[in-house]
Amino acid sequence: GLSNRSEEQVSGAKVVAQALKTQDVKYIFGVVGIPVTEIAMAAQELGIKYIGMRNEQAACYAASAIGYLTGRPGVCLVVSGPGFIHALGGMANANMNCWPLIVIGGSSERNQETMGAFQEFPQVEACRLYSKFSARPSSIECIPSVIEKAVRSSIYGRPGACYVDIPADFVTLQENASAIKYKECCMPPPVSMAETSAVCKAVSVLRNAKQPLLIIGKGAAYAHAEESIRKLVEQCNLPFLPTPMGKGVVPDNHPNCVAAARSRALQFADVIVLLGARLNWILHFGLPPRYQPDVKFIQADICAEELGNNVSPAATLLGDINAVCKQLLEQFAKTPWQYPAESKWWKTLREKMKSNEAVSKELASRNSLPMNYYTVFYHIQEHLPRDCFIVSEGANTMDIGRTVLQQCLPRHRLDAGTFGTMGVGLGFAIAAALVARDRSPGQRVICVEGDSAFGFSGMEVETICRYNLPIILLVVNNNGIYQGFDVDTWKEMLKYQDASIASPPMCLLPNSHYEQVMIAFGGKGYFVQTPEELQNSLRQTLADTSKPSLINIMIEPQGTRKAQVRIHWAWWRYTPLI
Ligand code: ADP
Ligand code: MG
């Protein structure tokens, strides 16, 4: 009746925004359109930062990186159907990485369901393979509790992606404001600890190790376990190996870091403590020939189902990495123990590190042009600020870059990750730059991309320029995927046949001026071919915090080989990859 009508009304869009605000969501990334534009605007009104991106996939990568870096989920806001489907790549990547993420998808109107509505798609069902939780509130009153559950599910237990579906008709539908009850902000996850007997077992196995090794994964980084792991490393004098994103939990330049002897360390260790790292392809499954057949694993993870994957562990520590490491420290404190520095194992590892480091130094010092990967990374490393974020993707660019670029701080490296996803770089860099802007202005984000990797979301350069994020994009350009042609070979090939028949599938346009993309939107661009040009451009971009920049670094398209065109259509199959 009349009294109802005079009550304060609130739209579904505003309820979504308020529920996110109540759950302490700080960032939304997305691409607006029908029916979610109002949600983005309502969120901004409440002071939630909205970053409009150029593709939902990149938006989703950015939101997931916020989750990893801050421990609270970022939100990716997408329209129904195709926009939603673009975001699935980002959800899959977040879920595989065990990073918290909330995706909010507009969907078609409830009363047009199954009628062939505009951009209609079974979105809640589609998310099941990509998420921990996927739901659609049945009324506006239900929105706050569904969003709270999504946030909670994303950070409790093994972190992951969650989906909330918002039908188009909810967005503008008005509801009595007093009917909406907001759930309290979800607390950080309760801390779980390992069984005492498992801790004792783990410590006794370690004490008897002849060739021990700690492996530090991104689960340890996510858990903020840096202090306790460092103590464990130092008090027990244990060699450690970080996984790609585990780099920096204990600094790469720590004397106990044996990253430069990675293969040797994995192959001959007799006891391995896994701290928040899975025995998947990145760690060669924990199986021979990359490991000893009788190596004993001590596995620590927050996810019970993970324990025992691929190997039969000697001890299983189910719990939060930081808490578990403190338990190990307490147990060791009862009868202190230190792995002897004079052991044969330490000697072997040190020798191997020395010889491996000498090889990459030699490669870096070669001054032939075009430059090789090692020369490029050597100069980048020389200029990197100690506290910068490093984002990296590409095949050789990421693999070789990881071995040269040093990480001193935890959670400061973002890369293709568990899923090996290419195209994550610019979204990750945007998220890192926003976190840096909030926490410590002046801190830089260096995004090291292969030329192919850059292409997946290159238009996000516009986003970077629009929000004036002083990101430094380095495109390590070899004219292709894995490898490419130099300009002359490319031209010669075109004389014979059209490129769609004759170009090796990995070739990209040689000498592409990617720096012009940055210049087009008002940032700074550099095209560099020599070590001197590389040094100068790095110096200039690092000195200028007012603008984003892109340095396009030309390197050998074919490694040490000179390409040859003696046209057999499949000649390139016989050219070994660099
Ligand atoms: P990496 O790629 O660095 O080897 P993975 O993603 O394979 O790392 O493994 C990370 C592991 O860390 C996952 O199995 C995940 O369940 C676990 N994990 C995440 N958060 C925590 C935490 N707080 N405590 C313990 N383990 C965690
Ligand atoms: Mg390339």
Side-chain angles (χ1 to χ4, degrees):
L2 257 182
S3 62
N4 257 355
R5 223 171 285 153
S6 64
E7 240 190 88
E8 196 198 331
Q9 301 283 292
V10 62
S11 69
K14 291 200 170 174
V15 174
V16 172
Q18 186 59 56
L20 293 174
K21 174 89 184 163
T22 311
Q23 293 307 321
D24 205 20
V25 165
K26 297 226 159 45
Y27 293 99
I28 301 179
F29 301 82
V31 181
V32 294
I34 298 169
V36 300
T37 310
E38 288 83 353
I39 297 178
M41 287 161 68
Q44 281 183 316
E45 252 175 70
L46 295 174
I48 299 177
K49 292 180 180 171
Y50 175 78
I51 290 90
M53 309 268 295
R54 303 306 302 263
N55 186 297
E56 292 84 354
Q57 206 179 65
C60 210
Y61 295 144
S64 70
I66 291 286
Y68 175 62
L69 296 176
T70 70
R72 297 293 293 197
V75 167
C76 176
L77 179 69
V78 298
V79 301
S80 45
F84 161 85
I85 286 169
H86 289 168
L88 288 177
M91 279 185 96
N93 188 68
N95 223 39
M96 295 288 177
N97 273 347
C98 312
W99 289 358
L101 165 73
I102 307 289
V103 176
I104 295 187
S107 60
S108 40
E109 294 187 20
R110 285 170 305 167
N111 60 11
Q112 295 173 350
E113 210 158 16
T114 74
M115 292 175 68
F118 174 62
Q119 299 185 334
E120 182 177 352
F121 195 74
Q123 298 181 176
V124 175
E125 294 91 316
C127 280
R128 300 256 188 246
L129 288 175
Y130 306 86
S131 65
K132 295 177 74 177
F133 170 80
S134 174
R136 161 150 141 176
S138 57
S139 66
I140 292 186
E141 287 98 319
C142 292
I143 289 173
S145 60
V146 173
I147 285 181
E148 187 273 343
K149 178 155 173 153
V151 168
R152 183 157 41 85
S153 303
S154 78
I155 56 179
Y156 281 34
R158 169 181 272 177
C162 296
Y163 177 68
V164 180
D165 197 66
I166 305 289
D169 49 312
F170 277 11
V171 172
T172 48
L173 193 69
Q174 302 288 316
E175 184 61 71
N176 287 339
S178 63
I180 316 291
K181 302 279 177 277
Y182 293 95
K183 287 268 246 169
E184 260 176 53
C185 180
C186 158
M187 290 284 116
V191 175
S192 51
M193 295 204 286
E195 265 180 278
T196 314
S197 61
V199 176
C200 296
K201 179 79 199 287
V203 166
S204 94
V205 171
L206 248 181
R207 276 179 199 279
N208 291 309
K210 300 213 163 49
Q211 319 210 122
L213 178 68
L214 289 189
I215 296 180
I216 306 173
K218 65 178 174 297
Y222 181 79
H224 287 244
E226 49 268 20
E227 214 185 290
S228 48
I229 293 182
R230 193 189 178 122
K231 275 189 193 150
L232 197 62
V233 164
E234 290 178 353
Q235 289 181 17
C236 300
N237 189 34
L238 293 166
F240 77 89
L241 197 65
T243 65
M245 283 192 262
K247 273 161 73 79
V249 169
V250 183
D252 281 341
N253 62 4
H254 191 284
N256 289 32
C257 177
V258 295
R262 182 180 189 272
S263 301
R264 180 70 53 106
L266 295 180
Q267 199 174 357
F268 295 106
D270 69 341
V271 173
I272 295 181
V273 188
L274 277 176
L275 301 172
R278 284 169 283 180
L279 289 175
N280 56 18
W281 64 279
I282 292 184
L283 288 173
H284 318 287
F285 313 108
L287 298 172
R290 304 299 294 262
Y291 293 79
Q292 290 300 304
D294 55 355
V295 53
K296 293 191 170 100
F297 282 100
I298 298 167
Q299 219 180 343
D301 205 288
I302 202 156
C303 173
E305 290 88 333
E306 186 59 40
L307 305 171
N309 275 348
N310 301 340
V311 299
S312 302
T316 51
L317 303 166
L318 175 61
D320 172 68
I321 294 289
N322 194 32
V324 166
C325 287
K326 284 184 187 159
Q327 288 181 287
L328 292 172
L329 284 167
E330 274 166 31
Q331 187 62 27
F332 273 121
K334 291 178 191 161
T335 336
W337 169 78
Q338 207 176 45
Y339 183 67
E342 298 310 314
S343 56
K344 209 173 146 222
W345 181 228
W346 260 125
K347 200 169 158 243
T348 315
L349 291 171
R350 294 225 187 282
E351 276 168 11
K352 188 69 192 158
M353 281 160 66
K354 235 189 188 161
S355 68
N356 284 353
E357 278 158 4
V359 171
S360 46
K361 250 196 202 121
E362 194 278 316
L363 285 162
S365 68
R366 290 193 188 165
N367 47 17
S368 56
L369 293 178
M371 291 181 279
N372 68 38
Y373 282 106
Y374 287 89
T375 311
V376 168
F377 291 126
Y378 170 80
H379 291 292
I380 297 173
Q381 174 57 34
E382 290 283 286
H383 286 83
L384 279 188
R386 195 188 159 276
D387 68 345
C388 70
F389 283 95
I390 297 178
V391 178
S392 187
E393 60 173 337
N396 293 317
T397 299
M398 182 172 69
D399 291 344
I400 300 172
R402 184 177 57 238
T403 66
V404 181
L405 303 178
Q406 299 275 304
Q407 217 81 42
C408 298
L409 298 171
R411 299 169 298 283
H412 277 62
R413 179 184 170 87
L414 297 162
D415 67 26
T418 306
F419 209 25
T421 312
M422 296 300 147
V424 291
L426 276 70
F428 283 180
I430 288 168
L434 292 164
V435 169
R437 182 179 276 183
D438 278 359
R439 280 188 194 159
S440 52
Q443 190 185 7
R444 300 305 292 263
V445 177
I446 321 281
C447 184
V448 191
E449 302 264 308
D451 53 329
S452 158
F454 175 70
F456 286 94
S457 44
M459 197 46 71
E460 299 302 338
V461 169
E462 188 274 330
T463 311
I464 290 172
C465 289
R466 184 159 24 99
Y467 294 100
N468 200 25
L469 301 167
I471 293 166
I472 299 173
L473 292 171
L474 305 177
V475 176
V476 182
N477 190 349
N478 66 350
N479 301 339
I481 305 169
Y482 303 114
Q483 58 178 344
F485 275 164
D486 57 83
V487 182
D488 293 342
T489 311
W490 179 259
K491 282 189 185 148
E492 201 178 330
M493 178 205 67
L494 288 181
K495 275 192 242 158
Y496 291 90
Q497 281 181 71
D498 106 51
S500 63
I501 297 292
S503 166
M506 56 275 266
C507 275
L508 296 169
L509 187 70
N511 260 15
S512 288
H513 280 263
Y514 295 112
E515 77 285 357
Q516 296 292 339
V517 179
M518 182 59 88
I519 294 169
F521 300 111
K524 281 193 168 173
Y526 303 82
F527 181 78
V528 307
Q529 291 174 298
T530 66
E532 294 69 39
E533 289 169 355
L534 176 58
Q535 290 165 351
N536 287 337
S537 59
L538 283 167
R539 238 176 263 127
Q540 284 179 35
T541 54
L542 283 164
D544 183 1
T545 54
S546 74
K547 267 191 178 170
S549 52
L550 191 155
I551 307 178
N552 186 8
I553 307 163
M554 301 309 296
I555 62 162
E556 290 173 325
Q558 295 261 330
T560 48
R561 266 171 153 270
K562 181 96 185 79
Q564 43 195 300
V565 183
R566 279 293 150 259
I567 288 292
H568 174 260
W569 68 272
W571 70 269
W572 50 267
R573 290 197 178 179
Y574 307 106
T575 308
L577 299 184
I578 303 164

